[in-house]
Amino acid sequence: SYLWNTTETTPSIDVNPLVNTTYNVEGTNINGCKNTASFTLNVAPQPTASITGIAEICENGETTLTASGGLTYLWSNTETTSSITISPTDTTTYSVVSIINSCVSDSETITVNVIANPSVTAFTDTLINLGQSVQLLAQGDAPFTWIPTNDLTCIICPDPTASPTETTTYCVEVTQNNCASSDCITIEVDNICGDLFVPDAFSPNNDGNNDCLKVFSNCLSELLFRVYSRWGELLYESTDIDGCWDGTYHGKDLNSGAFAYTVKATLTNGVEIDIKGNTTLFK
């Protein structure tokens, strides 16, 4: 005969404990001799699956999903680690099964939304001489931000003017819905300054060809240009690097003849120039 600590007296008993429980049984043979035995039944908790992670990512982005509530896991993409790193190209639903030993499993799902990145294009790679400027252009989903910000007339407009002193790569960025896109262009700067010169003759006859006298250079930074009569009278003076003498003095046209000039200039590469010369005015 048998006597369990549950008061049952059958050789076999059915149990369904909620916590770890030890069962004792006393056995008696036909001679009245007794002995005892015990058995501990461990109860594993039921798994409760859950998933944590960012459920909204930008196009070409990635996120990490972490499962909990079990000892082992099986994801819908066949991975078996508790955490997975994913980079879906479109909105996708992921599920995981959480398992504890051989007990009944539990599952959970999460949908990861993929947000399209904004559109932006920058125009265009350009070669300029040192001292020149060039207009940049961005097209796409405003607002725009240009970097780096140096040597730009504006950093948030679509068409700033750039005046770099060295080869520079400018990138335009756009951010919408916490997603960003960018595009870059390179402005290559040729920092070799050509010769500075003043024509030795000009003809102010309004024919559109060589009508005025000016200083030519591909990288003027500062200029003082003066023209004198043969007797040393100052006829023209300008600090404008694009300044041009039209052959007049006090609003009157001068006759053909020879004139002297002086040039004091600073180039964009820092070189200072001081020259004198003569030119001839032809009618």
Coordinates of all heavy atoms in Angstrom, one line a residue, residues 201-213 244-248 253-256 280-283:
A201 N 47.8 99.6 -76.3 CA 47.0 100.5 -77.1 C 45.6 100.2 -76.9 O 45.2 99.0 -76.6 CB 47.4 100.3 -78.6
F202 N 44.7 101.2 -77.1 CA 43.3 101.0 -77.1 C 42.6 102.0 -78.0 O 43.2 103.1 -78.3 CB 42.7 101.0 -75.7 CG 42.7 102.3 -75.0 CD1 41.5 103.0 -74.8 CD2 43.9 103.0 -74.6 CE1 41.5 104.2 -74.1 CE2 43.8 104.2 -74.0 CZ 42.6 104.8 -73.7
S203 N 41.4 101.8 -78.4 CA 40.7 102.6 -79.3 C 39.2 102.9 -78.9 O 38.3 102.1 -79.2 CB 40.7 102.1 -80.7 OG 40.1 100.8 -80.7
P204 N 39.0 103.9 -78.1 CA 37.6 104.2 -77.5 C 36.7 104.8 -78.6 O 36.4 106.0 -78.5 CB 37.9 105.2 -76.4 CG 39.2 105.9 -76.8 CD 40.0 104.9 -77.6
N205 N 36.3 104.0 -79.5 CA 35.4 104.4 -80.6 C 34.1 103.8 -80.6 O 33.4 103.8 -81.6 CB 36.1 104.2 -82.0 CG 36.6 102.8 -82.2 OD1 36.2 101.9 -81.4 ND2 37.3 102.5 -83.2
N206 N 33.8 103.1 -79.5 CA 32.4 102.5 -79.3 C 32.1 101.4 -80.4 O 31.0 101.2 -80.7 CB 31.3 103.5 -79.4 CG 31.4 104.5 -78.2 OD1 31.7 104.1 -77.1 ND2 31.2 105.8 -78.5
D207 N 33.2 100.7 -80.8 CA 32.9 99.6 -81.8 C 32.8 98.3 -81.1 O 32.7 97.2 -81.7 CB 34.0 99.6 -82.9 CG 35.4 99.2 -82.3 OD1 35.5 99.2 -81.0 OD2 36.4 99.1 -83.1
G208 N 32.9 98.3 -79.7 CA 32.8 97.1 -79.0 C 34.1 96.3 -78.9 O 34.1 95.2 -78.4
N209 N 35.2 96.8 -79.4 CA 36.4 96.1 -79.4 C 37.5 97.0 -78.9 O 37.9 98.0 -79.5 CB 36.8 95.6 -80.8 CG 38.0 94.8 -80.9 OD1 38.4 94.1 -79.9 ND2 38.7 94.9 -82.0
N210 N 38.1 96.6 -77.7 CA 39.2 97.4 -77.1 C 38.8 98.8 -76.9 O 39.6 99.7 -77.2 CB 40.4 97.2 -77.9 CG 41.7 97.4 -77.2 OD1 41.7 97.3 -75.9 ND2 42.8 97.8 -77.9
D211 N 37.6 99.1 -76.4 CA 37.1 100.5 -76.2 C 37.6 101.2 -75.0 O 37.5 102.4 -74.9 CB 35.6 100.5 -76.2 CG 35.0 100.3 -77.6 OD1 35.6 100.8 -78.6 OD2 33.9 99.7 -77.7
C212 N 38.2 100.5 -74.0 CA 38.7 101.1 -72.8 C 39.9 100.4 -72.3 O 40.2 99.3 -72.7 CB 37.6 101.3 -71.8 SG 37.0 99.7 -71.1
L213 N 40.6 101.1 -71.4 CA 41.9 100.6 -70.9 C 41.7 100.0 -69.5 O 41.2 100.7 -68.6 CB 42.9 101.7 -70.9 CG 44.3 101.3 -70.5 CD1 45.0 100.5 -71.6 CD2 45.2 102.6 -70.2
C244 N 37.7 100.6 -65.8 CA 38.2 100.7 -67.2 C 38.1 102.2 -67.6 O 37.1 102.8 -67.5 CB 37.2 99.9 -68.1 SG 37.8 99.5 -69.7
W245 N 39.2 102.7 -68.2 CA 39.3 104.1 -68.6 C 38.9 104.2 -70.0 O 39.3 103.5 -70.9 CB 40.7 104.6 -68.5 CG 40.9 106.1 -68.8 CD1 40.1 107.1 -68.5 CD2 41.9 106.6 -69.7 NE1 40.5 108.2 -69.0 CE2 41.6 108.0 -69.8 CE3 43.0 106.1 -70.4 CZ2 42.4 108.9 -70.5 CZ3 43.8 107.0 -71.1 CH2 43.5 108.4 -71.2
D246 N 37.9 105.1 -70.3 CA 37.3 105.2 -71.6 C 38.0 106.3 -72.4 O 37.4 106.7 -73.5 CB 35.8 105.5 -71.5 CG 35.5 106.8 -70.7 OD1 36.5 107.5 -70.3 OD2 34.3 107.1 -70.5
G247 N 39.1 106.8 -72.0 CA 39.8 107.8 -72.8 C 39.3 109.2 -72.7 O 39.5 110.1 -73.6
T248 N 38.5 109.5 -71.6 CA 38.0 110.9 -71.4 C 38.6 111.5 -70.2 O 39.2 110.8 -69.3 CB 36.5 110.8 -71.2 OG1 36.1 110.1 -70.0 CG2 35.8 110.2 -72.4
D253 N 36.3 113.8 -74.6 CA 37.2 112.8 -75.2 C 38.6 113.4 -75.5 O 38.7 114.6 -75.8 CB 36.6 112.4 -76.6 CG 35.3 111.6 -76.4 OD1 35.2 111.0 -75.4 OD2 34.5 111.6 -77.4
L254 N 39.6 112.6 -75.2 CA 41.0 113.1 -75.4 C 41.4 112.7 -76.8 O 40.9 111.7 -77.4 CB 41.9 112.5 -74.4 CG 41.6 112.9 -72.9 CD1 42.6 112.2 -72.0 CD2 41.7 114.4 -72.8
N255 N 42.4 113.4 -77.4 CA 42.9 113.1 -78.7 C 43.8 111.9 -78.6 O 44.3 111.5 -77.6 CB 43.6 114.3 -79.3 CG 42.7 115.5 -79.5 OD1 41.5 115.3 -79.9 ND2 43.2 116.7 -79.3
S256 N 44.1 111.4 -79.8 CA 45.1 110.3 -79.9 C 46.4 110.7 -79.3 O 46.8 111.9 -79.4 CB 45.3 109.8 -81.3 OG 44.1 109.4 -81.9
T280 N 48.9 103.7 -75.9 CA 48.6 104.6 -76.9 C 47.1 104.6 -77.1 O 46.5 103.5 -77.3 CB 49.3 104.3 -78.2 OG1 50.8 104.3 -77.9 CG2 49.0 105.3 -79.3
L281 N 46.5 105.8 -77.2 CA 45.1 106.0 -77.5 C 45.0 106.2 -79.0 O 45.6 107.2 -79.5 CB 44.5 107.1 -76.7 CG 43.0 107.3 -76.8 CD1 42.5 108.0 -75.5 CD2 42.6 108.2 -78.0
F282 N 44.2 105.4 -79.7 CA 44.0 105.6 -81.1 C 42.5 106.0 -81.3 O 41.6 105.4 -80.7 CB 44.3 104.4 -81.9 CG 45.7 104.0 -82.0 CD1 46.2 103.0 -81.2 CD2 46.5 104.7 -82.9 CE1 47.6 102.7 -81.3 CE2 47.9 104.3 -83.0 CZ 48.4 103.3 -82.2
K283 N 42.3 107.0 -82.2 CA 40.9 107.4 -82.6 C 40.5 106.6 -83.8 O 41.4 106.3 -84.7 CB 40.8 108.9 -82.8 CG 40.9 109.7 -81.5 CD 39.6 109.4 -80.7 CE 39.5 110.3 -79.5 NZ 38.3 110.1 -78.7

